[in-house]
Amino acid sequence: MNFEIKPLHPVFAAEITGINLRTPPSRELVNTIDTAMDRYAVVVLRDQRLDDDQQLAFAQAMGPLEPSPAVVDQHLHRLKYREMVDISNLDVDGSVMAADDRRRMFNFGNLLWHSDSSFKATPAKYSMLHARVVPPTGGETEFADMRAAYDELSAEQQAQIEALVCDHSLIYSRALLGFDEFTPEEKQMFAPVPQRLVRRHAGSGRRSVYLSAHIGTIHGWRRPEAMVLIRELTEHATQRRFVYRHEWRVHDLVIWDNRCTMHRARPFDDRQYKRDMRRLTLEDSAPTLQQPQ
Ligand code: OGA
Ligand code: MN
């Protein structure tokens, strides 16, 4: 295959051209993408005219999938596959969601800087998001490189955070937006999980700071002290020089590594326009506290 890798940003993110994912990828192609992911952490593949079956076949070839998305009102699933996360503003019948829909309120959480499934005991490895319908303006996705951010902390800051463990929960990220309408079952399902704050990225051997809007506290710290530090680190880590902004075209597939990047959606007129994106997610190898450091 005649592919080419073009960097999209000074520190990370690249586009690979010359790849067609409509047929399941060969071992060689999977290795090519994994190698690019280890270096760039965000890989853009344009013009991939995939349906749900093809997107699923590609994702399965990349590794083990997360079984089911953690969302509210799971019984209202619009898509064919349970594993496919519905990143859209659409109701089950394909119309734009009602303004006061609970799922719409919940989904606003995607506008906060986060790492996918950091609130699960075993978090996410890659997310693979495919654009089916995009709005005429807005709705970009921004990515920030947590390895570059770690490298630019001072030696004192690196030492201060080295051994810290944070609790992550969907309830914490939604609380930042004033959303607290969780049912007792959801509260149980979204109970906090511990994750290391500093990780070693398996693919590159580099250290990264594992931040996410889902963080609600640091073990052994008072919560306001913890949240002040997390906010400081998040502001540091999301400075423009660490950020790649993706402007979506229909049929873009973007793969990102949640172990060493954060991302957030940017707003668009979601009362007026449709945005239909579908995500499949690979599971990481183990809880971060059980991974080699
Ligand atoms: C996601 C996500 C951001 C966006 O798919 O996990 O956070 O721009 N998406 O839709
Ligand atoms: Mn996300």
Side-chain angles (χ1 to χ4, degrees):
M1 203 167 289
N2 253 336
F3 64 85
E4 209 182 315
I5 300 181
K6 299 186 208 161
L8 294 169
H9 182 278
V11 299
F12 75 135
E15 178 177 354
I16 310 185
T17 58
I19 285 180
N20 171 10
L21 301 177
R22 292 180 74 167
T23 49
S26 62
R27 202 23 41 214
E28 185 200 353
L29 179 53
V30 169
N31 288 340
T32 299
I33 295 171
D34 271 331
T35 304
M37 286 296 294
D38 286 344
R39 161 66 185 86
Y40 292 101
V42 176
V43 162
V44 174
L45 301 152
R46 299 257 192 206
D47 218 26
Q48 302 297 325
R49 287 157 199 269
L50 309 176
D51 60 22
D52 289 355
D53 296 349
Q54 291 163 326
Q55 188 181 347
L56 181 68
F58 167 67
Q60 283 171 332
M62 293 299 296
L65 294 181
E66 280 195 339
S68 66
V71 290
V72 294
D73 302 319
Q74 299 215 21
H75 57 287
L76 301 173
H77 191 65
R78 182 174 65 97
L79 307 178
K80 177 173 171 188
Y81 296 107
R82 249 308 110 210
E83 299 89 338
M84 204 170 259
V85 190
D86 188 0
I87 305 289
S88 79
N89 59 331
L90 306 179
D91 212 332
V92 279
D93 65 357
S95 64
V96 166
M97 267 182 203
D100 62 352
D101 194 299
R102 184 167 175 266
R103 292 166 294 167
R104 177 167 180 259
M105 298 302 128
F106 180 82
N107 290 343
F108 280 129
N110 279 343
L111 292 156
L112 305 177
W113 284 109
H114 66 282
S115 177
D116 287 335
S117 301
S118 70
F119 53 83
K120 291 186 182 173
T122 295
K125 185 187 179 195
Y126 299 166
S127 291
M128 296 167 275
L129 186 62
H130 190 239
R132 307 292 176 92
V133 177
V134 300
T137 56
E140 303 86 357
T141 307
E142 291 183 340
F143 299 91
D145 185 338
M146 294 301 105
R147 299 174 298 186
Y150 178 84
D151 289 347
E152 288 197 33
L153 291 171
S154 68
E156 294 74 39
Q157 287 170 312
Q158 290 177 351
Q160 183 198 15
I161 67 172
E162 174 66 28
L164 298 181
V165 176
C166 298
D167 270 344
H168 295 236
S169 167
L170 268 172
I171 294 170
Y172 294 141
S173 53
R174 271 46 186 183
L176 295 172
L177 299 179
F179 179 101
D180 55 8
E181 300 162 23
F182 293 102
T183 65
E185 297 76 53
E186 286 168 345
K187 280 187 185 151
Q188 209 170 353
M189 198 159 63
F190 302 147
V193 302
Q195 305 288 4
R196 278 187 208 282
L197 183 54
V198 176
R199 305 182 63 173
R200 181 175 290 282
H201 180 244
S204 61
R206 294 174 64 190
R207 301 208 145 216
S208 76
V209 51
Y210 192 41
L211 293 167
S212 189
H214 306 307
I215 293 176
T217 194
I218 299 173
H219 289 196
W221 289 43
R222 294 170 192 90
R223 274 191 81 186
E225 278 178 335
M227 295 316 287
V228 162
L229 175 63
I230 295 302
R231 185 171 285 229
E232 281 293 323
L233 290 170
T234 303
E235 286 184 10
H236 162 75
T238 55
Q239 294 175 81
R240 296 319 295 182
R241 69 179 184 281
F242 303 131
V243 173
Y244 164 67
R245 178 185 179 91
H246 187 71
E247 294 179 5
W248 291 94
R249 291 187 220 146
V250 176
H251 307 311
D252 284 354
L253 179 78
V254 178
I255 310 175
W256 64 86
D257 189 335
N258 290 291
R259 300 171 302 177
C260 63
T261 62
M262 280 202 286
H263 61 281
R264 66 169 178 181
R266 302 301 292 143
F268 72 104
D269 185 350
D270 74 324
R271 306 292 309 126
Q272 183 91 32
Y273 299 110
K274 294 185 179 183
R275 182 177 190 258
D276 183 351
M277 321 271 275
R278 303 178 187 199
R279 193 187 91 203
L280 287 163
T281 318
L282 300 188
E283 201 167 39
D284 202 354
S285 55
T288 53
L289 283 161
Q290 290 169 29
Q291 292 180 24
Q293 191 72 349

